[in-house]
Amino acid sequence: MHDVVQDYYGKQLQSTDDLKTSACCDVSNMPEWLKPLLSNIHDEVMSRYYGCGLVCPALLEGCRILDLGSGSGRDVYALAQLVGSIGHVVGVDMTDEQLAVAKQHQDYHIDKFGYDNVTFLHGYIEKLDELNLEANSFDIIVSNCVINLSPDKSAVMASVQRLLKPGGEFYFSDVYADRRIPQHLIDDPVLYGECLSGALYWKDFTRLAREASFLDPRLVEDRPLEITDPRLAAKIGNIQFFSATYRLFKIAALEDACEDHGQAVIYNGTIDQLPHRFDLDKHHTIETGRVFPVCGNTFRMLKESRFAPHFEFIGDDSRHYGIFAGCGDMMPFGETAALVPNTVTSSVAGSAADSGGCC
């Protein structure tokens, strides 16, 4: 598949206008504070951008960032402004034509920003071990609509786990499907190049993440994709596609479910551009100054990452109250008994029988 992708992005596509679907381009949700950063980026770099979603999480100053599939460098140059002169951004891409555009305008951006803090490397995101990148050396790894193009997604995830610092995060946008893609569609070079037929079934993605020790993938945002080309839509049939942004934290103590330890956090409102609330993910909007109950995993994501100085932390994990309410992993045993020792009501016994037993 490498040859297909290199041909599509190096020769077939000359600008975003050549794309046949909306899968790879969306700036509709671009926050206002990011728009001035994009205005500083060279026009040719912008015109050769084929990413999806956003890969600019908050609080990046001074960070060391790796961009997988950096293409013409749009996200690298946006991130370079956010990490500042003491941070650094490394972009990896396998397409010579895209890398040529990124490197051609490197001096332009040095003059524009007033510092040089980017590096572009030619390589494959499945073979990052060949690039002599040091383990545990990146605060954040990003990717923008590229993992779906990889023929070995498990190798990508394993390398991300190896290269991230403890407490670091993988923050990335990609395309997902509501079911597994049949092989004859995977073999279609246009569907593959358009970031569709290489997309993972969403449940397979969560399995893959957990196999790579990212035990609690967090969905940040998502949107359905419209297949605007009628010929491609006819080939796709009833498969539904979504552009989604996930964040995965490298924290060894995370559990595989959201457990309730009676913990809470308070956001201090001290992150630039986020004075009123902090959105950890799609289901955790933490209002400034308000006590916000959290599961053990959310507690650790905030306390063991770069976000820790901006929060107050209440409680520890010395007590356990079962699964955290509303996290979608409920006890399977029917109705629960009243909190009276050594009693089982007939209604509980009946509901347990109705639910079916193993013996």
Side-chain angles (χ1 to χ4, degrees):
M1 282 300 179
H2 286 152
D3 292 342
V4 170
V5 176
Q6 286 172 317
D7 177 73
Y8 202 73
Y9 285 87
K11 297 179 173 61
Q12 303 302 320
L13 300 180
Q14 298 302 311
S15 76
T16 54
D17 293 336
D18 296 327
L19 290 166
K20 295 176 174 61
T21 74
S22 64
C24 288
C25 291
D26 179 47
V27 294
S28 60
N29 296 320
M30 182 76 66
E32 289 299 320
W33 61 270
L34 271 176
K35 292 179 181 177
L37 305 183
L38 298 185
S39 69
N40 290 330
I41 299 175
H42 195 280
D43 288 344
E44 186 178 8
V45 171
M46 292 294 294
S47 71
R48 296 292 294 269
Y49 161 70
Y50 309 119
C52 63
L54 303 173
V55 290
C56 291
L59 206 63
L60 299 184
E61 185 174 2
C63 288
R64 178 172 166 82
I65 299 179
L66 175 64
D67 182 4
L68 303 181
S70 54
S72 64
R74 189 207 78 156
D75 289 344
V76 168
Y77 288 124
L79 292 164
Q81 298 172 74
L82 293 168
V83 302
S85 59
I86 61 172
H88 197 88
V89 185
V90 178
V92 174
D93 203 272
M94 68 176 181
T95 306
D96 292 330
E97 292 86 350
Q98 291 281 81
L99 280 173
V101 173
K103 292 180 178 181
Q104 177 184 345
H105 301 295
Q106 197 161 349
D107 288 340
Y108 169 90
H109 294 98
I110 293 172
D111 292 340
K112 196 77 171 177
F113 305 159
Y115 47 81
D116 180 10
N117 65 346
V118 306
T119 301
F120 291 100
L121 302 175
H122 183 277
Y124 299 92
I125 64 173
E126 310 86 0
K127 301 177 180 180
L128 293 174
D129 56 338
E130 297 180 356
L131 299 180
N132 296 317
L133 298 170
E134 185 179 352
N136 305 308
S137 64
F138 290 96
D139 299 286
I140 300 164
I141 296 178
V142 301
S143 178
N144 205 332
C145 205
V146 171
I147 294 178
N148 71 86
L149 298 171
S150 170
D152 190 352
K153 297 171 176 63
S154 61
V156 177
M157 298 296 287
S159 290
V160 168
Q161 177 68 224
R162 179 178 64 85
L163 293 172
L164 278 175
K165 297 177 182 179
E169 72 167 310
F170 186 24
Y171 188 96
F172 66 106
S173 295
D174 220 290
V175 177
Y176 300 90
D178 69 342
R179 65 199 72 185
R180 293 177 180 136
I181 311 297
Q183 188 62 46
H184 73 278
L185 296 182
I186 295 174
D187 294 336
D188 187 301
V190 174
L191 287 175
Y192 202 91
E194 289 284 328
C195 301
L196 295 174
S197 62
L200 277 171
Y201 164 47
W202 68 271
K203 191 66 175 176
D204 286 342
F205 161 70
T206 60
R207 294 185 180 107
L208 193 65
R210 288 169 178 162
E211 286 171 5
S213 297
F214 293 111
L215 295 184
D216 192 355
R218 293 296 179 91
L219 177 63
V220 177
E221 62 180 3
D222 61 274
R223 65 181 177 91
L225 293 179
E226 181 183 3
I227 312 302
T228 52
D229 185 293
R231 290 171 298 177
L232 297 187
K235 290 182 179 181
I236 289 298
N238 291 325
I239 302 173
Q240 300 294 309
F241 292 92
F242 302 84
S243 174
T245 300
Y246 276 94
R247 66 190 330 159
L248 281 59
F249 287 88
K250 181 178 177 175
I251 297 176
L254 291 184
E255 300 181 274
D256 63 358
C258 294
E259 304 293 347
D260 188 353
H261 299 281
Q263 297 163 300
V265 299
I266 301 173
Y267 173 51
N268 296 323
T270 49
I271 297 176
D272 289 345
Q273 292 92 33
L274 303 175
H276 305 300
R277 70 180 199 185
F278 177 84
D279 293 325
L280 176 65
D281 54 52
K282 189 175 180 179
H283 301 291
H284 292 80
T285 295
I286 306 173
E287 191 175 356
T288 298
R290 187 172 187 173
V291 176
F292 190 88
V294 294
C295 70
N297 280 355
T298 297
F299 192 89
R300 293 183 180 96
M301 288 175 185
L302 297 173
K303 192 171 185 178
E304 298 181 29
S305 70
R306 67 189 187 282
F307 300 119
H310 302 275
F311 284 84
E312 297 175 38
F313 297 91
I314 301 169
D316 54 37
D317 60 1
S318 60
R319 293 188 178 185
H320 182 238
Y321 301 97
I323 205 72
F324 195 85
C327 281
D329 193 3
M330 302 306 292
M331 189 167 64
F333 307 129
E335 296 180 27
T336 57
L339 295 178
V340 179
N342 300 318
T343 62
V344 179
T345 66
S346 60
S347 63
V348 173
S351 63
D354 292 341
S355 65
C358 62
C359 56

